[in-house]
Amino acid sequence: KSPQTSWQHVINLSHSIVRRFLILWLIRSTIQDSEIKPVVPATVEVCSGSNATINCTFTTDSEGLKIRWHFNSSSRETKIYHNDEHYDRKNEKTWSALTIKEVTFNDSGLYYCVVIQDIPILKEYYSNGSQLNIHTQPVLQSSMLQKQPRFVVNVL
């Protein structure tokens, strides 16, 4: 081989390495810039026997994300599956809603959502937890606790 041919080979190899480096750098930059932070409310209060809905919201431009829900009680941690009839799940691009049907005291615990991005690499983003508290009586808002005006009816 002539010296010019081997220099041409070195130059082509260098260009190939630089291109690969730039592609990897762009992918890494994109992943770091697209950090997803799912958020759920700190607590949800419901009456036993009613339905409870916990909303998970996040900001993203990514497509094709998957959303998973977990339940953590004092005795166990459980992944909530799509086919479980005790739960309804609705997923959209930037939010998910988990409805727990006809709650009982066994449903009390910490719920959190996980947003899964699997392209270009697998990353899971966990929300803060949402504590579900179950009450035996309807939860009264503070405005409902104020005294109601009394009416006096005089009978003649």
Side-chain angles (χ1 to χ4, degrees):
K1 290 185 173 181
S2 70
Q4 186 177 14
T5 307
S6 48
W7 276 110
Q8 188 66 32
H9 178 71
V10 169
I11 291 171
N12 288 341
L13 185 61
S14 297
H15 285 180
S16 176
I17 291 171
V18 168
R19 266 183 282 174
R20 287 181 187 164
F21 174 78
L22 285 174
I23 290 170
L24 290 172
W25 179 79
L26 282 171
I27 290 172
R28 187 170 184 268
S29 297
T30 303
I31 293 169
Q32 287 179 341
D33 292 343
S34 64
E35 188 77 13
I36 298 168
K37 295 179 176 121
V39 177
V40 294
T43 58
V44 174
E45 311 271 338
V46 295
C47 186
S48 178
S50 64
N51 293 346
T53 299
I54 302 171
N55 293 304
C56 174
T57 58
F58 49 92
T59 304
T60 184
D61 292 329
S62 299
E63 297 287 335
L65 299 174
K66 297 176 182 89
I67 299 154
R68 189 172 64 216
W69 283 90
H70 289 261
F71 168 60
N72 191 350
S73 70
S74 58
S75 61
R76 70 189 191 289
E77 181 172 336
T78 307
K79 179 180 171 184
I80 298 172
Y81 292 95
H82 283 284
N83 59 352
D84 190 329
E85 293 181 7
H86 187 54
Y87 303 97
D88 274 337
R89 295 169 32 156
K90 180 163 173 111
N91 296 334
E92 295 292 333
K93 182 177 178 178
T94 60
W95 62 270
S96 177
L98 174 70
T99 299
I100 304 109
K101 300 178 197 173
E102 299 177 3
V103 298
T104 67
F105 292 103
N106 291 333
D107 295 310
S108 293
L110 194 65
Y111 290 81
Y112 56 98
C113 71
V114 182
V115 178
I116 302 155
Q117 177 182 20
D118 55 7
I119 297 174
I121 63 169
L122 178 64
K123 287 192 94 171
E124 294 183 348
Y125 303 94
Y126 289 77
S127 71
N128 53 322
S130 185
Q131 178 65 42
L132 178 62
N133 296 322
I134 313 296
H135 300 280
T136 55
Q137 302 174 30
V139 178
L140 297 177
Q141 296 177 357
S142 61
S143 62
M144 298 172 80
L145 297 175
Q146 297 174 355
K147 288 186 176 181
Q148 299 296 320
R150 297 174 112 190
F151 295 96
V152 177
V153 177
N154 292 326
V155 178
L156 299 175

